[in-house]
Amino acid sequence: MLKPDPAKQRDGAYVGQPVPRENARRLSQGRGRYVDDIAFRNLAHVAFVRSPHAHARILSIDTSAAQALPGVVDVVTGEEMKGLCTPWVGVLAHFPGLKSAEQYPLAVDVARWHGEPVVAVVGESRALAEDGADLIEVEWEELPAVVDAEAALAGDVPAIHPELGDNRAFRLEVGQGDTASAFAEAAVIAEEEFRFGRHTGLTLEPRSIVADFDPSLRQMTVHHSTQTPFQMQDVLARHFGLEEGNVRVIAPDVGGSFGLKLHVYGEEMAACALSIRLGRPVKFIADRLEAFQTDIHARDHLVKARMALSRDGEILAMEVDDLTGIGPYSVYPRTSAVEGNQAIRLMGGPYRMPNYRGELNIVFQNKTPMCQYRAVGHPIACAVTEGLLDKGARALKLDPLAVRQRNVVTADMYPHTSPTGYVFERLSHEECIASLASLMDYERLRREQAEARQRGVYRGIGLATFIEITNPGPAFYGVGGARISAQDGCVMKMEPSGDIRVMVSVTEQGQGTETIMAQVAATHLGVPLERVSVYTGDTQTSPYGGATWASRGAGIGGPAVMKTALALKANLLETAAVILQAEAGDLDIRGGAVVNRKDGTQRMELAELGRIAYFRPDTLPADFHPEMTAARHYVPQGYPFAFTNGIQASHLEVDVETGLVRLLDHWVVEDCGKVINPLLVEEQIRGGVVQGLGGALFEECLYSPEGQLLCGTMADYLTPMAGEMPDIHMAHVETPTLTSPLGAKGVGEAGTAAAPAAVMNAINDALSPFSAEVTQMPFTPERILTALGKV
Amino acid sequence: MDSLFPVTLTLNGVIATHEVSQRTTLADFLRQTVGLTATHVGCEHGVCGACTVFVDGRIARACLMFAIQAEGRDIRTLEGFAGDRRMEVLQRHFHERNALQCGFCTSGMLATAHQLLEGSPDPSREEVRESLSGNFCRCTGYHAIVDATLDAAAELNAATVAPEAEPAC
């Protein structure tokens, strides 16, 4: 197990140490405070009547019985809700041509997915609100539903939004070079159709909000299970006509997010609207059925792709067509174009592929809206690239490890630009592949695999090289017109006790953001870690910033905290120099005390500095004002993104009689730049891997041909549980980014990015004696048996 | 409005009487009526394990029981384990090993691990994985949870064995 090094901690070098999280101590004792745990006086609860159809016109709504039910406080239809909230449209200018329709919190006239909220019922308890919802009668006229993405663009299919003309939301072509010539010259062309089912984030804490509007001051306080308090403050202020400063968003403990909790959802907007209407706090906690019906879904791609390879396994070109269905709307405010955009741009990313053409088509359908979920687009690009590469290597009788070594972008090529315009500062593919081969003992596993096959045991080894987008700059959202901050800020103060308080705009959902920030602050200030407290997630007390998503917390929030710590240190030393009648440059702070820079002799405790600065400034020279607080901001520099890289491997066994897959082991070698806390990095990776394994093997949001969602419970929607999951072995390569003083990149997506590809390649490796292949995720026993010709 | 009925139970070692509606689940009763929020509600249909508590000494899903069914029963939540050595050792190892991220599954996971170590003090890695398979965790990927449970078992076993290993004098 990773243990902190006491000597390094004594020296104050916390960055790089596997420090456990103080939050984990608190949460392990059941002392978390999630939104639903917080008590409010005079609280009302909202429940929703939802569309039972995938696509249907609302002919009439009769709310009279619900209105008359004791315990029901208010009933609001979609039409009435229109007057409480301005509409939103999920488009941004940097996706030219992206279209979507106006949305309100509740469906108006037409419901466009099964589960879309239609009427809000407020009750004195959730149960009473649900009783009221049961009494509401909606008369529906069913409309033809567009369910399959493939059918959405057919000529006779009606447009889900007639005013938009057709069901194409967005189209994009990217690429460079001459793919036609490359394919003409190829020794082997690997061609395949890949399908990626819909799955969803399934945070264990469902979406949760309590909106509390004070009409006397027109102020609204919102406790919200969100990743992005500032984004939500902006959204709420604009759509409810409130002063931004009068909207306070507080994210208390958040029970998982994974990209799910940064989108705008109708129910949450409705809760705010109702609080404004009623002048009392209104709570919405999604139940699990509501979560399956209305939390964003993810993926849903049909990819037709081919790869041209030379005789010795060099990738000459790729051509990719990605069709992805996003439900009836592009989700606000980040749009549903990002997943597909990243999928076609990340194709072939780890490799020296000179020629590429990618086409993306995003279509509307009558299903739950699809939007960004952990590793946005990455698993698609990775599985397509790695799947085709293995297929080509099999045809050429080349070893999968060797063919990757042959093709990766090499150390001498950086900075390197991909055919889709991504710029890589410096990646470490060669070291990662070498490290993986030794970590997993690749040669031995191959020998064992061959022996097992003799016994009729079919094991597979699958590899997946990956790149990962982290530390996004303004190019991600800001340039498109979204009011989503690309920078982050930090305010740091020393209190009279000598303790350090850090307010930072990046947020915590269990990743360990607060511990990472404390490590950075303690290291660069020179104070013991336990004297640093970090506060996040409250728009009223934190500096403004982008918060935590797209693996930006450590890489952007970290340097903000580092800059602030250095600034506060300079302030403190200036005051110490005045008190000690020394030169600030001759002093330093170590171990929580002011010391002589040269020999480390202690001059004064920080608590003594605090005492004089706060309580006895009369003993200091006139006109000297001790600065005990510092504030700094940090904008990601140099490149639009900081890419990380790595490689994963899966070892598994396929039972060719039942189609069941048993995961034996999983390995990850990753390079997220400077590792601030290896304990947290490894658990980010492991958690991400298992989310990827879920999508690869179990998780699928299934629909009937009529567009009825068939998985409304966790009994229908299979998830990875401890018994089926393998141990996940890790190694690190560290290539610090030179664009930030901290050198850290992100690590949140990497696990999820490549795990599905590794599993797919391992299954197909296991099935290779049967010339059978699977390319439709999740790889259920039925799909594997179908590939084997057994069902 | 719902009619209320009295229910008398032993809650974390103390006999208590509360008024509940017929349809209030044990989970909602613990969280909303009593204010014991260590028990979390994740799925409300008995799959995720976040609401796992002890009923008469055995783990059970608090979302699948009505509060009124707790009449005369002994209910113990994570809050009731203060001072319990096995639980404290588990909690410490969960913390040190970072065997939780968001923490929403953790109370239920700890309850299940506690029962496992009670009946099987020296479990294999596979046994731990199997035993915890009724508790969903979205964050960790389980590896660290398995490690922490095994680390706790090792510490608890060392503590029970240690006195015998000392020379009698």
Side-chain angles (χ1 to χ4, degrees):
Chain A
M1 177 183 161
L2 293 165
K3 291 271 189 201
D5 177 347
K8 286 207 165 147
Q9 296 214 1
R10 251 195 324 276
D11 298 342
Y14 297 101
V15 169
Q17 291 291 300
V19 179
R21 297 154 48 215
E22 279 307 289
N23 273 339
R25 188 198 304 277
R26 181 171 62 83
L27 297 172
S28 73
Q29 295 182 17
R31 293 187 173 275
R33 295 254 296 165
Y34 306 90
V35 168
D36 195 36
D37 298 339
I38 301 169
F40 294 85
R41 301 269 180 208
N42 197 30
L43 180 65
H45 303 256
V46 61
F48 294 92
V49 177
R50 296 178 179 281
S51 172
H53 305 293
H55 196 192
R57 188 176 309 283
I58 301 164
L59 299 178
S60 67
I61 301 176
D62 181 357
T63 64
S64 54
Q67 303 264 18
L69 186 74
V72 167
V73 175
D74 198 6
V75 180
V76 178
T77 65
E79 192 61 41
E80 292 161 333
M81 187 64 79
K82 271 177 87 172
L84 305 176
C85 177
T86 59
W88 58 87
V89 183
V91 298
L92 289 171
H94 63 320
F95 295 115
L98 172 65
K99 61 191 187 189
S100 189
E102 279 193 350
Q103 265 185 288
Y104 288 93
L106 305 175
V108 179
D109 296 331
V110 176
R112 294 182 174 85
W113 82 88
H114 176 210
E116 184 175 5
V118 175
V119 184
V121 181
V122 183
E124 296 294 349
S125 72
R126 171 69 183 241
L128 291 167
E130 289 185 16
D131 289 347
D134 283 347
L135 296 176
I136 286 172
E137 297 208 16
V138 183
E139 195 184 346
W140 296 98
E141 176 198 347
E142 271 195 79
L143 301 170
V146 181
V147 181
D148 286 331
E150 291 162 271
L153 296 177
D156 56 342
V157 170
I160 292 174
H161 304 284
E163 71 275 23
L164 298 181
D166 60 20
N167 291 323
R168 193 194 310 273
F170 187 58
R171 184 171 179 280
L172 178 66
E173 270 189 69
V174 294
Q176 75 168 31
D178 178 2
T179 56
S181 303
F183 277 94
E185 291 163 16
V188 162
I189 296 173
E191 188 160 4
E192 197 60 81
E193 186 176 293
F194 299 87
R195 285 171 189 271
F196 301 86
R198 281 184 163 231
H199 46 261
T200 186
L202 204 78
T203 58
L204 192 50
E205 181 207 28
R207 289 190 291 111
S208 306
I209 193 167
V210 177
D212 188 1
F213 181 71
D214 176 349
S216 67
L217 298 170
R218 288 194 62 73
Q219 288 181 347
M220 185 155 67
T221 302
V222 178
H223 286 78
H224 193 191
S225 182
T226 180
Q227 297 168 243
T228 51
F230 290 100
Q231 174 201 300
M232 291 312 300
Q233 178 191 38
D234 168 67
V235 165
L236 297 177
R238 280 190 290 118
H239 290 280
F240 293 110
L242 302 172
E243 292 297 324
E244 189 166 285
N246 280 346
V247 177
R248 179 183 187 184
V249 178
I250 300 168
D253 287 324
V254 173
S257 52
F258 319 116
L260 191 154
K261 291 177 179 171
L262 45 66
H263 309 294
V264 168
Y265 292 94
E267 295 89 351
E268 294 165 26
M269 296 297 276
C272 294
L274 291 162
S275 179
I276 293 170
R277 180 170 150 108
L278 297 169
R280 60 187 281 197
V282 174
K283 178 190 274 193
F284 171 69
I285 310 287
D287 67 23
R288 193 50 61 186
L289 173 60
E290 292 178 308
F292 280 115
Q293 287 182 320
T294 61
D295 289 357
I296 54 100
H297 289 179
R299 320 305 180 213
D300 199 352
H301 296 255
L302 166 59
V303 181
K304 294 174 182 168
R306 59 184 197 147
M307 179 184 278
L309 294 113
S310 73
R311 192 160 309 283
D312 46 8
E314 196 181 330
I315 302 173
L316 304 175
M318 276 178 82
E319 289 181 345
V320 175
D321 280 294
D322 180 9
L323 173 70
T324 178
I326 58 167
Y329 297 95
S330 169
V331 175
Y332 186 68
R334 293 172 183 242
T335 85
S336 299
V338 182
E339 162 88 6
N341 182 56
Q342 290 192 177
I344 61 158
R345 289 181 191 274
L346 286 164
M347 296 280 174
Y351 302 116
R352 297 187 305 266
M353 174 179 70
N355 306 294
Y356 176 70
R357 187 191 64 76
E359 181 179 335
L360 169 68
N361 279 285
I362 298 181
V363 298
F364 296 119
Q365 26 165 211
N366 292 113
K367 289 180 173 176
T368 298
M370 190 284 291
C371 204
Q372 286 87 305
Y373 163 59
R374 192 174 199 169
V376 183
H378 292 66
I380 313 305
C382 186
V384 169
T385 305
E386 299 298 303
L388 292 178
L389 184 56
D390 264 20
K391 189 167 179 148
R394 255 197 306 280
L396 291 162
K397 303 202 181 332
L398 294 173
D399 179 81
L401 192 79
V403 82
R404 284 170 174 79
Q405 280 167 328
R406 171 170 194 92
N407 278 291
V408 289
V409 178
T410 50
D412 56 323
M413 295 171 71
Y414 295 106
H416 177 74
T417 304
S418 82
T420 58
Y422 283 145
V423 188
F424 310 128
E425 178 195 11
R426 193 152 70 92
L427 303 177
S428 58
H429 291 300
E430 296 149 292
E431 296 103 297
C432 286
I433 294 175
S435 170
L436 181 86
S438 118
L439 181 70
M440 69 189 289
D441 202 345
Y442 183 76
E443 298 299 332
R444 180 182 58 80
L445 273 186
R446 283 288 178 208
R447 283 195 302 276
E448 288 178 7
Q449 178 190 32
E451 287 161 18
R453 246 176 225 178
Q454 302 298 320
R455 293 182 277 117
V457 173
Y458 296 95
R459 292 193 178 146
I461 300 163
L463 304 175
T465 309
F466 67 87
I467 56 171
E468 174 200 24
I469 294 173
T470 79
N471 296 6
F476 220 47
Y477 291 114
V479 297
R483 294 174 65 84
I484 298 169
S485 175
Q487 65 80 52
D488 276 281
C490 176
V491 174
M492 198 177 296
K493 61 178 175 173
M494 191 189 84
E495 304 208 320
S497 60
D499 289 346
I500 306 299
R501 308 277 174 189
V502 181
M503 280 69 73
V504 63
S505 56
V506 287
T507 52
E508 171 76 271
Q509 298 94 38
Q511 307 92 327
T513 307
E514 293 174 6
T515 302
I516 294 279
M517 299 308 141
Q519 287 176 263
V520 172
T523 300
H524 292 285
L525 260 176
V527 302
L529 186 65
E530 57 272 19
R531 300 194 69 171
V532 179
S533 305
V534 178
Y535 302 88
T536 64
D538 183 343
T539 57
Q540 193 154 301
T541 57
S542 152
Y544 201 95
T548 299
W549 42 271
S551 292
R552 66 188 299 290
I556 300 176
V561 170
M562 179 179 168
K563 280 179 69 183
T564 317
L566 293 172
L568 179 60
K569 185 174 187 172
N571 290 350
L572 298 178
L573 289 177
E574 188 190 1
T575 302
V578 169
I579 295 169
L580 297 168
Q581 298 183 344
E583 289 294 321
D586 294 337
L587 301 171
D588 196 6
I589 301 174
R590 292 174 203 162
V594 178
V595 300
N596 285 334
R597 181 175 294 278
K598 207 178 265 177
D599 58 14
T601 308
Q602 185 172 319
R603 301 295 301 275
M604 69 193 307
E605 292 277 0
L606 284 181
E608 177 62 5
L609 179 67
R611 185 190 67 81
I612 296 169
Y614 283 106
F615 308 125
R616 294 304 307 275
D618 58 305
T619 63
L620 302 178
D623 278 342
F624 182 76
H625 304 276
E627 296 288 350
M628 296 289 110
T629 301
R632 289 291 185 275
H633 292 259
Y634 180 78
V635 180
Q637 302 288 325
Y639 294 83
F641 313 104
F643 280 90
T644 79
N645 69 284
I647 182 167
Q648 298 195 19
S650 169
H651 185 215
L652 52 76
E653 191 172 304
V654 179
D655 183 328
V656 295
E657 300 304 320
T658 63
L660 282 166
V661 173
R662 188 158 68 94
L663 301 172
L664 301 173
D665 265 310
H666 199 99
W667 296 268
V668 183
V669 180
E670 64 72 45
D671 182 350
C672 62
K674 174 69 188 167
V675 174
I676 299 171
N677 185 327
L679 179 68
L680 303 186
V681 163
E682 294 199 352
E683 297 319 316
Q684 271 297 295
I685 292 283
R686 289 194 173 103
V689 164
V690 168
Q691 285 188 11
L693 296 178
L697 291 169
F698 306 116
E699 299 181 39
E700 188 166 22
C701 297
L702 291 165
Y703 283 86
S704 76
E706 298 77 29
Q708 292 282 316
L709 180 67
L710 301 176
C711 55
T713 74
M714 288 180 66
D716 315 312
Y717 181 92
L718 301 183
T719 56
M721 302 301 272
E724 294 99 32
M725 288 299 108
D727 281 339
I728 298 161
H729 314 282
M730 307 254 337
H732 306 277
V733 172
E734 284 191 68
T735 309
T737 172
L738 302 178
T739 61
S740 125
L742 200 53
K745 311 184 206 174
V747 74
E749 332 292 328
T752 310
V759 164
M760 179 178 74
N761 285 349
I763 292 174
N764 288 334
D765 185 39
L767 297 181
S768 60
F770 304 93
S771 301
E773 274 188 295
V774 285
T775 54
Q776 180 175 6
M777 294 187 196
F779 304 116
T780 60
E782 185 186 357
R783 286 174 184 154
I784 289 171
L785 290 177
T786 304
L788 285 164
K790 297 197 174 179
V791 293
Chain B
M1 302 292 259
D2 290 6
S3 304
L4 297 178
F5 300 87
V7 59
T8 300
L9 70 163
T10 304
L11 182 54
N12 293 333
V14 177
I15 296 174
T17 301
H18 292 273
E19 295 213 305
V20 298
S21 75
Q22 281 168 301
R23 61 177 169 176
T24 300
T25 64
L26 178 61
D28 284 349
F29 164 76
L30 292 169
R31 292 178 48 76
Q32 293 165 15
T33 310
V34 190
L36 295 173
T37 55
T39 302
H40 298 141
V41 175
C43 75
E44 295 178 272
H45 46 258
V47 181
C48 80
C51 67
T52 305
V53 298
F54 284 79
V55 178
D56 292 338
R58 303 293 301 166
I59 55 170
R61 305 287 209 231
C63 74
L64 292 185
M65 242 178 101
F66 289 113
I68 209 149
Q69 291 175 291
E71 175 71 32
R73 305 281 195 121
D74 180 64
I75 308 293
R76 202 172 179 196
T77 69
L78 191 65
E79 288 95 338
F81 279 89
D84 178 279
R85 174 155 163 73
R86 186 180 297 120
M87 189 60 89
E88 286 184 355
V89 170
L90 275 165
Q91 286 170 321
R92 181 155 40 75
H93 284 284
F94 268 56
H95 166 231
E96 288 175 357
R97 182 60 189 82
N98 203 45
L100 59 136
Q101 289 181 28
C102 82
F104 208 76
C105 74
T106 308
S107 302
M109 200 66 84
L110 285 166
T112 305
H114 188 278
Q115 175 165 294
L116 166 69
L117 297 190
E118 188 173 19
S120 178
D122 189 19
S124 68
R125 196 167 180 86
E126 292 65 38
E127 199 179 344
V128 173
R129 281 197 175 273
E130 195 56 40
S131 300
L132 297 177
S133 280
N135 291 76
F136 176 62
C137 170
R138 192 49 147 177
C139 300
T140 65
Y142 302 106
H143 185 124
I145 295 175
V146 177
D147 283 352
T149 306
L150 288 168
D151 290 347
E155 181 178 331
L156 289 162
N157 289 336
T160 32
V161 174
E164 295 166 22
E166 280 175 7
C169 54

